[in-house]
């Protein structure tokens, strides 16, 4: 997914307003994000020779050179959207150095041979046992590589390098993981959820929440990607919650299995607060009475901000800026801003992909 950028998003250690106390979980998260940001920076911002990297056949995948792969399917999946399937040759399916490189979340670079430009994309499922990877690609008017990939047909050859780590996810690290995506920014979160919940079924106490926005129902993730997640969420609501947003529900009728998770509007401060059971600062008699009742019954929910929480966001830059604050210089993480800052999330809790 081209918006899941591998352009070294450094994590900013700039904090929000000081709190009276800081939990150990918050401290460990800050240390984790800081070290992750520094490692990512040293890898991606170091002077790179990769743009002129050679191409090798019969060699394992590597970030340092390109490997030719074959297009096996190009399936339209919405307006200006397609799912492209690539087949990795058997002798290239290993990784040259690090066996954990295929752990979520990772991406690849694809080179447009016509103009010698490369762009990053995130495989939806990772790589399967047959060496196939699937990419959900949008064609933008000024997106050279995306337009080029949309023209590819079965049997065509393209060149990739990777895998490269977009975000290193570790099991049993967070109590809550909130994923906010727009458009094809869904791809890294699908990779993570597919690997951890649908494929490996990793058992821990982490609860995932996915908030995804598309312009219309027709531009939502394709049913073969979305439906298995909705089915899992229905069976295991304590492990996965999903809410989908579109600008206008009336454009195209959504399937019944999707419509129950769908609402018109955008992901903003109010919707995030509502879906995470947070106060957005507004007070009503109903909410005051509800909170008072929950306290009296001993059923008051623990504020997610007081847990070891991770909020990941991936989508168009205006969306990222509105929800989590703009990126910093050279696409570093920058300070946490936007709706998440207004809701009290801070450094060590938010990561912009």
């Amino acid at each position: 997914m081209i918006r899941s950028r591998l352009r070294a998003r450094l994590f900013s250690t700039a904090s929000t307003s000081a709190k009276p106390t800081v939990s150990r979980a918050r401290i460990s998260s800050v240390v984790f994000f800081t070290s992750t940001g520094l490692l990512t920076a040293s890898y991606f911002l170091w002077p790179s020779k990769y743009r002129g990297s050679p191409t090798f056949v019969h060699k394992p995948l590597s970030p340092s050179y390109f490997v030719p792969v074959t297009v096996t399917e190009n399936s339209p999946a919405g307006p200006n959207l397609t799912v492209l399937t690539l087949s990795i040759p058997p002798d290239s399916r290993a990784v040259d150095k690090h066996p954990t490189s295929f752990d979520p979340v990772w991406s690849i670079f694809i080179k447009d041979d016509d103009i010698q430009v490369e762009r990053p994309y995130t495989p939806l499922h990772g790589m399967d046992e047959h060496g196939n990877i699937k990419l959900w690609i949008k064609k933008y008017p000024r997106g050279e590589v995306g337009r080029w990939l949309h023209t590819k047909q079965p049997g065509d050859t393209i060149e990739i390098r990777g895998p490269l780590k977009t975000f290193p996810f570790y099991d049993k690290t967070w109590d809550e993981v909130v994923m906010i995506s727009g458009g094809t920014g869904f791809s890294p979160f699908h990779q993570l959820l597919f690997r951890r919940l649908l494929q490996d079924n990793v058992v821990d106490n982490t609860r995932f929440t996915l908030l995804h926005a598309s312009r219309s129902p027709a531009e939502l993730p394709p049913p073969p990607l979305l439906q298995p997640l909705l089915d899992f969420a229905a069976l295991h609501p304590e492990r996965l919650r999903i809410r989908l947003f579109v600008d206008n529900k009336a454009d195209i009728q959504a399937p019944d299995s999707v419509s129950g998770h769908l609402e018109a509007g955008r992901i903003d401060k109010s919707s995030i607060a509502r879906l995470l059971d947070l106060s957005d600062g507004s007070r009503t008699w109903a909410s005051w009475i509800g909170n008072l009742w929950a306290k009296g019954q001993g059923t008051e929910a623990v504020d997610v901000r007081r847990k070891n929480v991770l909020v990941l966001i991936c989508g168009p830059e205006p969306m990222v800026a509105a929800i989590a604050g703009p990126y910093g210089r050279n696409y570093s993480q920058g300070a946490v801003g936007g709706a998440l800052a207004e809701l009290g999330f801070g450094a060590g809790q938010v990561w912009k992909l």
Side-chain angles (χ1 to χ4, degrees), residues 103-296:
D103 290 343
V105 176
W106 59 274
S107 298
I108 59 172
F109 271 98
I110 296 180
K111 181 172 67 175
D112 181 342
D113 289 333
D114 293 342
I115 57 176
Q116 295 298 302
V117 170
E118 61 175 16
R119 292 290 184 268
Y121 292 88
T122 302
L124 288 158
H125 304 89
M127 181 169 64
D128 68 17
E129 66 273 18
H130 303 295
N132 297 315
I133 62 175
K134 291 182 180 291
L135 308 170
W136 190 32
I137 301 171
K138 181 160 187 175
K139 178 172 62 176
Y140 292 94
R142 296 184 180 181
E144 300 92 345
V145 179
R147 293 202 314 271
W148 180 75
L149 288 173
H150 269 245
T151 68
K152 294 302 171 182
Q153 299 300 318
D156 289 345
T157 299
I158 63 175
E159 297 179 5
I160 69 171
R161 66 176 180 90
L164 300 113
K165 194 67 69 178
T166 308
F167 182 84
F169 186 86
Y170 299 107
D171 295 322
K172 302 180 180 179
T173 303
W174 292 280
D175 301 318
E176 299 268 353
V177 176
V178 180
M179 298 160 289
I180 303 174
S181 59
T184 51
F186 168 81
S187 296
F189 302 145
H190 183 274
Q191 184 190 115
L192 174 60
L193 293 172
F194 174 80
R195 284 289 305 275
R196 285 298 176 259
L197 298 184
L198 303 185
Q199 185 180 62
D200 298 340
N201 193 22
V202 175
V203 178
D204 62 22
N205 294 322
T206 303
R207 180 172 66 171
F208 294 90
T209 299
L210 173 64
L211 310 180
H212 175 79
S214 291
R215 290 184 180 276
S216 69
E219 296 180 72
L220 287 170
L225 302 176
L226 189 56
Q227 193 58 53
L229 296 178
L230 295 175
D231 293 341
F232 186 94
L235 291 173
H236 305 283
E238 78 286 357
R239 300 189 65 190
L240 176 63
R241 301 181 296 179
I242 298 176
R243 198 65 184 167
L244 306 171
F245 296 78
V246 293
D247 290 351
N248 188 351
K249 289 176 63 174
D251 288 346
I252 297 178
Q253 184 64 37
D256 291 340
S257 59
V258 173
S259 59
H261 300 267
L262 190 63
E263 64 180 82
R266 298 187 177 186
I267 302 174
D268 55 17
K269 177 183 174 182
S270 177
S271 59
I272 294 171
R274 170 169 49 87
L275 294 166
L276 297 183
D277 300 318
L278 303 174
S279 170
D280 65 356
S282 61
R283 296 289 183 181
T284 65
W285 279 107
S287 65
W288 183 83
I289 292 173
N291 290 335
L292 187 62
W293 171 262
K295 290 180 180 179

Side-chain angles (χ1 to χ4, degrees), residues 75-98:
S75 302
N80 294 317
L81 292 161
T82 193
V83 174
L84 198 69
T85 304
L86 308 178
S87 178
I88 313 298
D91 46 10
S92 296
R93 293 173 190 172
V95 182
D96 63 341
K97 294 180 181 179
H98 305 292

Side-chain angles (χ1 to χ4, degrees), residues 15-48:
S15 62
T16 55
S17 59
K19 304 290 191 302
T21 60
V22 180
S23 67
R24 291 184 179 180
R26 175 69 66 86
I27 294 172
S28 63
S29 294
V30 171
V31 172
F32 168 80
F33 279 126
T34 304
S35 60
T36 298
L38 292 174
L39 289 173
T40 305
S42 65
Y43 187 83
F44 289 104
L45 292 183
W46 199 262
S48 173

